[in-house]
Amino acid sequence: MFKRLHKQFALFSTGITSLILAAMTFVCLFISETDASRESYLTFHTNTNTMLSYLSSQSIISHQWLLEMEDNYGVHIRITDNGKELFYRTLDSGTKAPRLFALAEEKAAESYGVDVSDSNRNQYTANTAVFTLDTPSCYAAVSLLPRESGSLSATVVYPLDREREQVLRRRMLFLGAAGCGVLLLWIFSWFFTRRLIKPLEEGQKKQNQFIAAASHELRTPLAVILSSTSALRGTPPKKQEQFLSHIQEEGERMNRLIGDLLSLSSADSQSWAIHPERAEPDTLLLNIYEKYQPLAHEKGLHWNVLLPDTPVPVQHWDSGRISQVLGILADNAVSYTPSGGSVSLELHMKKGGLEYRICDSGPGIPDKEKSAVFQRFYRLDESHHDKEHFGLGLCIAEEIVGMHKGRISVEDTPGGGASFVVRLQTNVYSINR
């Protein structure tokens, strides 16, 4: 599914950006060609005026000058004196200049009234027409210049073959640049969309693992309940109490697990709220110490608490949630510390905040596992099948601490064991008094 989604996203983003790139390329190419065409026409017009000014001021026209004009400006020139053409160059039989001259003079006569064939007309002022021929494509200028005896006509044509070649090269250049741009866009879109989809894919994978683990955890007590219920039917009333006890125990276990799952679901949907109130950090730790003291003594643990020598300022925390975090850490410490070990509950005042430390002398946690212990349904020791622990407590604790703008981490206890450290900022929340 994610591979198909990756391809679709990459194609969609590339397609949209390619359309935008193509539109911008077309606009830029259109503007470039329009400017080039305008500049070419103005250049032809300027060059033509220069040549006509020279012709009108000279009584003798040299063949050398005409050849230089044609070579320098890339034009073809035909000059007639009172209707007689001045031959200064032998045109190749295959050249198209004669046809261009004929078309230019025909259009000048029909559209602009400049008729070079009327050699008998007295001409007092110069009459010039500059225009564009579409077929074949060229610029043309036809002019009648007054002379003392009759008139001098000049027809100048400028074939646009060179301009068409430049336009073609420009278009190929733009097309190549656009193709390279599309290719780069595809490569960028492929890797960029991959990075976007990767968290979704990992989230889906974690969700599937979470559902599978939750289903497994729920299946175990459910199997016990069903088997105990089935056994009740053929059991004498005196022996039914044992099965009822199993059913109640497993039902309570399922209730705790479902409660943990609902808590994590609320945290994921960002609907899990905290309610700041007046909280005494040392009192919260002492309450946890007293709550788990009987269980610690029953297991033969050295159960200690350490508080600051100076008074601890009152904080604005969610007391219930912080107590829940401390309870999770204390419960884990008691559960995983072997008989005869020690557990210490500590509170320290740090610059800008407070620090809780729950230190035990248990088996400890390897460095490579320290970041994984806060994952859902994670158990360091898979052989540890304590029914009271589902591998969700530390994940819930991390969520609660994060909501209080704090951090939770695990360190090695000097001499062996694990120390869970909760760092909370002071006066994070305000209370309306």
Side-chain angles (χ1 to χ4, degrees), residues 4 11 46 66-67 125 132 139 163 231 264 351 390 405 415 431:
R4 185 172 66 253
L11 287 173
T46 301
L66 290 172
L67 291 173
T125 59
T132 301
Y139 297 141
E163 275 66 19
L264 291 175
K351 184 178 181 180
F390 305 102
K405 312 299 182 184
I431 298 179

Side-chain angles (χ1 to χ4, degrees), residues 185-420:
L185 284 171
W186 166 255
I187 296 174
F188 172 78
S189 299
W190 180 263
F191 288 100
F192 182 71
T193 53
R194 178 59 183 167
R195 291 189 63 182
L196 289 179
I197 293 176
K198 189 174 181 180
L200 298 178
E201 187 175 1
E202 293 178 351
Q204 179 70 27
K205 183 178 180 180
K206 290 181 179 179
Q207 183 179 6
N208 293 337
Q209 294 174 347
F210 177 76
I211 293 174
S215 301
H216 175 75
E217 294 291 345
L218 287 170
R219 188 182 295 115
T220 301
L222 183 60
V224 175
I225 292 175
L226 292 176
S227 62
S228 299
T229 303
S230 177
L232 279 174
R233 296 176 180 176
T235 303
K238 294 183 179 179
K239 295 184 178 180
Q240 290 181 357
E241 185 65 29
Q242 180 181 358
F243 294 105
L244 291 174
S245 176
H246 290 329
I247 292 173
Q248 182 176 1
E249 180 181 346
E250 295 301 323
E252 291 175 352
R253 182 186 178 202
M254 287 185 67
N255 184 59
R256 290 193 299 273
L257 176 57
I258 292 173
D260 289 345
L261 292 175
L262 290 175
S263 296
L264 291 175
S265 176
S266 299
D268 290 340
S269 62
Q270 298 182 351
S271 61
W272 194 8
I274 60 175
H275 305 283
E277 60 184 2
R278 183 184 178 87
E280 298 178 355
D282 49 354
T283 301
L284 297 179
L285 189 63
L286 286 173
N287 290 339
I288 297 299
Y289 174 81
E290 294 175 358
K291 179 180 178 179
Y292 286 91
Q293 186 177 20
L295 182 61
H297 286 176
E298 181 181 346
K299 196 173 180 179
L301 301 177
H302 298 282
W303 190 244
N304 305 308
V305 63
L306 177 63
L307 298 176
D309 296 332
T310 58
V312 180
V314 175
Q315 303 299 319
H316 301 315
W317 296 339
D318 188 327
S319 301
R321 294 299 185 188
I322 298 300
S323 295
Q324 184 179 359
V325 172
L326 298 176
I328 290 171
L329 299 180
D331 188 55
N332 283 347
V334 172
S335 176
Y336 287 93
T337 302
S339 178
S342 63
V343 177
S344 176
L345 311 183
E346 303 176 4
L347 174 62
H348 302 277
M349 297 179 63
K350 299 290 184 178
K351 184 178 181 180
L354 297 173
E355 180 181 277
Y356 288 107
R357 302 182 73 92
I358 311 299
C359 309
D360 63 59
S361 60
I365 300 174
D367 292 338
K368 63 180 181 179
E369 304 287 343
K370 283 183 170 61
S371 60
V373 295
F374 298 100
Q375 297 177 2
R376 300 177 183 186
F377 292 108
Y378 176 85
R379 287 192 179 97
L380 181 62
D381 183 6
E382 294 295 336
S383 63
H384 189 89
H385 295 290
D386 187 355
K387 292 185 177 183
E388 300 297 326
H389 297 86
F390 305 102
L392 295 177
L394 291 178
C395 181
I396 294 174
E398 186 181 40
E399 292 287 346
I400 295 174
V401 172
M403 295 174 69
H404 283 79
K405 312 299 182 184
R407 293 186 300 111
I408 182 172
S409 60
V410 59
E411 302 174 356
D412 293 330
T413 302
S419 297
F420 284 86

Side-chain angles (χ1 to χ4, degrees), residues 129-195:
V130 182
F131 50 87
T132 301
L133 284 176
D134 296 327
T135 307
S137 181
C138 67
Y139 297 141
V142 179
S143 179
L144 290 174
L145 303 173
R147 306 290 286 182
E148 294 180 357
S149 57
S151 62
L152 183 72
S153 68
T155 302
V156 182
V157 292
Y158 176 66
L160 296 177
D161 297 340
R162 186 182 303 173
E163 275 66 19
R164 284 202 300 268
E165 292 178 359
Q166 292 178 351
V167 168
L168 181 60
R169 286 196 298 268
R170 189 182 298 113
R171 289 179 179 178
M172 294 300 296
L173 180 62
F174 272 81
L175 181 61
C180 292
V182 171
L183 178 61
L184 292 175
L185 284 171
W186 166 255
I187 296 174
F188 172 78
S189 299
W190 180 263
F191 288 100
F192 182 71
T193 53
R194 178 59 183 167
R195 291 189 63 182

